[in-house]
Amino acid sequence: MLEEKYEFAQMRRALYKSHTENYYNRQVRVKNFKVGEWVLRKNESHHAKPLGKLSVMWEGTYKIVEDHKNGAYVLETQDERATPRTWNAQSLHHFYS
């Protein structure tokens, strides 16, 4: 009797997990960038010390130099200097001139 309840609870937990995963995956928007496109990156100093809702959220204009195919990109500035690390697609935004 106790094992049946345990198995039923496991099935319910797995069902709940799959429903939650499906709900989350419906909400996610995939961002794809191509090499050579210009992007803005999320302002990190904005998150370190919030300055209010009118503070700058995006900074610079950066060119995508390399695509790592897992959502990470190597950027360079307009001066053609490489940024020190890779950036995730969630931290980037298309730049429209």
Side-chain angles (χ1 to χ4, degrees):
M1 179 76 175
L2 188 60
E3 287 183 17
E4 291 175 6
K5 286 186 178 183
Y6 180 73
E7 289 176 7
F8 182 72
Q10 277 186 321
M11 288 189 310
R12 296 283 298 167
R13 187 173 31 228
L15 184 64
Y16 174 74
K17 183 178 177 182
S18 71
H19 283 288
T20 305
E21 182 180 356
N22 290 337
Y23 176 77
Y24 174 78
N25 289 337
R26 275 194 310 239
Q27 306 300 320
V28 174
R29 291 188 180 146
V30 178
K31 290 184 177 182
N32 294 320
F33 300 100
K34 296 176 186 163
V35 173
E37 287 185 335
W38 291 94
V39 295
L40 300 171
R41 78 175 185 198
K42 197 171 278 192
N43 190 355
E44 288 185 331
S45 62
H46 173 76
H47 296 293
K49 182 179 176 186
L51 301 173
K53 66 181 183 179
L54 298 178
S55 64
V56 178
M57 292 184 61
W58 301 99
E59 65 180 358
T61 53
Y62 297 91
K63 186 177 183 180
I64 294 180
V65 179
E66 192 176 333
D67 179 7
H68 286 291
K69 299 295 181 197
N70 60 353
Y73 297 94
V74 177
L75 305 178
E76 72 177 19
T77 62
Q78 289 179 338
D79 308 346
E80 297 183 0
R81 292 184 316 208
T83 55
R85 63 183 180 91
T86 59
W87 289 84
N88 192 299
Q90 296 299 325
S91 299
L92 301 175
H93 185 64
H94 282 285
F95 176 71
Y96 302 103
S97 56

